[in-house]
Amino acid sequence: MANEEHLAILRQGVEVWNEWREKNLRVNADISGANLNGINLSGANFSGAFLNKTNLSKTNFSRANLSSANLSRAFFVEANLTNANFSEVDLIEADLTQADFSGTNLTGANLTGANLTKTNLSQTNLTQVKLNGAKLIEVNFSGANLRKLDLSGVNLSWFNFSEADLSEAKLIRTQALNTNFCKAVLTGACIEDWHTNSTTNLKGVICEYIYLQGNQKERRPSSGNFAQEEFTELFQKSLETVDLIFRNGINWDAFAYSFKKLEVENQGAQLDVQSIEKKGDGILVVRVAVAPDADKAKIHNQFIQGYEFAAKALEAQYQARLEDKDTLISTQEAQINRLFDIVEQQGSVQKALAENPRKVSNYNMENPQFASGIVDANTVDADQIGGNIQNNDV
C-alpha cells in the first residue's frame, strides 16, 4: 500500500513533489496501489519509486523520470508517457494497452508478461528490453531502436516497424503477416522460419546481409553485402511460398502423389516447387511457390495429410514385401499409379462439375474409390488398392 505521507506530498503538485524528492534522495518513495487515474504528472521525478499495482490510466507522464521504478502490475491504459525515462524499470505484467510511449527511453526495461495491445512505441529506445510472454497486438514500433531484440516466436502481424532499427534482431519463427517493414533496418537480423505474406511491406528495407539460421549461420549473401534494394527484390519473390519441412527424409512417391492431389484440389493456386534446401540435422525444406491469393495454411495442411496417408500405405507395403525386392518395386509402382489414377479421376469430376454444375455426379468424392473398394485416409485397407496392407490408425 502507498505511504500516505508520500501520497499527500504528491497531491500538492509536481513542483512540490520534485522539491521533496531532491531533499530526500535516500527515501524510497512509495505510491504503490494508489489511484492516480487521469492526473497530470508531467516532468515528475519517480526514479526508483514504488508504483506497483498503481492505477495510472490516462495519466500524463510526459517527460517524467521513472528510471529503475517498480511499475509491476501497474495500469497505464491510454496513459501519456511520451519522451519519458523508463530505463531499467520493472513493468512485469503491467497493462500498457493503448499507452503512448513515443520518444521514450525504455532501455533495459522488463516487460515480461505485459499487455502491449495497440501500444505506441514509435521512436522508442528498446535496447535490451525483455518481452518474454508479453501480449503484443498491433504495436507501433515505427522508428524504434530494436537492435539485437529477441522477438523469436512472437506474432508480429499488423505491427508497424517502418524505419525501425532491427539490426541483429532475432525474428526466428515470427509471424509477420500484413506487417510494415518499410525502410526498416534489418542488417544482421535472423529470419529463420519467419512467415510473411503478400501484404508484408518490405519496400525500402535497408539490409546489407541476413541470416537464415540462428547463431549467425547461413549468411546471405555468403560474402559481401546486398546491393541497394536487393534484399527486398529477393525476399519479395519468396513471400508467396509454402515451406514443407521433412525431418526424416522424403518419400518421393508419397510426395508426388500428395503434390498431384494438391494441384487437383487447388486449381488456380499455381503450385510450383521453387527449391529444395538441406538444413542441419537431416532436415529438408521444399519451398513451393503459390498464387498471391492462395490459402497457405489450407494448402500446407492438405499436402501433409495426403503425404502422411500415402507414406503409411507405401511403408506398410514395403514391410510386407521386404524379402522380395522385385515384387516390392512392382507393387509400389502399381500402388502409386493407382493413387495417381484416383487423383486424375477426382480432377476430371471436379472439372465436369464446374462446367456442368447442374449435372449429378455418380462419384463419391468424400470417399474416393481405389480399384474396387473405398479408401479413407484414417483407415487404410490395402486390399482395396491391390495389396494386403493393414493400417488402421484412428
Side-chain angles (χ1 to χ4, degrees), residues 10-21:
L10 180 60
R11 285 173 176 162
Q12 295 179 52
V14 171
E15 187 175 345
V16 174
W17 171 263
N18 284 349
E19 184 178 347
W20 175 77
R21 289 302 309 276

Side-chain angles (χ1 to χ4, degrees), residues 221-273:
S222 55
S223 62
N225 296 325
F226 288 125
Q228 187 175 359
E229 301 290 342
E230 187 175 9
F231 171 85
T232 300
E233 292 174 3
L234 290 174
F235 285 86
Q236 192 74 43
K237 292 179 182 178
S238 64
L239 291 179
E240 307 309 327
T241 61
V242 174
D243 287 349
L244 306 174
I245 301 174
F246 300 85
R247 303 185 184 281
N248 299 300
I250 299 177
N251 184 322
W252 289 109
D253 284 334
F255 182 96
Y257 158 73
S258 186
F259 193 81
K260 181 63 178 178
K261 187 171 184 291
L262 199 63
E263 289 183 313
V264 170
E265 295 175 342
N266 296 274
Q267 296 180 17
Q270 303 173 24
L271 304 179
D272 182 41
V273 175

Side-chain angles (χ1 to χ4, degrees), residues 39 45 71 82 104 123 187 190 192 205 207 239 251 262 281 313 321 323 354 361 367 389:
I39 69 174
N45 181 6
L71 303 168
T82 58
T104 294
Q123 305 297 324
T187 297
C190 179
E192 178 181 355
V205 164
C207 183
L239 291 179
N251 184 322
L262 199 63
D281 299 324
R321 304 288 183 176
E323 296 181 359
S361 171
N367 294 291
I389 307 170

Side-chain angles (χ1 to χ4, degrees), residues 144-209:
N145 182 353
L146 306 167
R147 292 178 60 87
K148 298 183 179 181
L149 189 63
D150 189 351
L151 292 167
S152 299
V154 177
N155 186 348
L156 304 177
S157 299
W158 299 97
F159 281 28
N160 182 2
F161 286 104
S162 60
E163 301 185 11
D165 186 353
L166 287 156
S167 302
E168 300 182 52
K170 294 181 180 179
L171 301 173
I172 302 170
R173 298 183 306 280
T174 55
Q175 292 281 349
L177 311 180
N178 305 290
T179 305
N180 183 8
F181 288 103
C182 180
K183 298 182 180 180
V185 180
L186 288 174
T187 297
C190 179
I191 58 173
E192 178 181 355
D193 295 333
W194 78 335
H195 298 280
T196 57
N197 62 2
S198 59
T199 55
T200 302
N201 187 354
L202 296 176
K203 293 180 180 178
V205 164
I206 300 169
C207 183
E208 296 180 357
Y209 57 92

Side-chain angles (χ1 to χ4, degrees), residues 124-148:
T124 300
N125 188 345
L126 292 155
T127 305
Q128 298 181 331
V129 163
K130 295 179 181 178
L131 288 168
N132 311 68
K135 184 178 181 181
L136 300 165
I137 301 176
E138 296 183 41
V139 181
N140 180 5
F141 283 112
S142 61
N145 182 353
L146 306 167
R147 292 178 60 87
K148 298 183 179 181

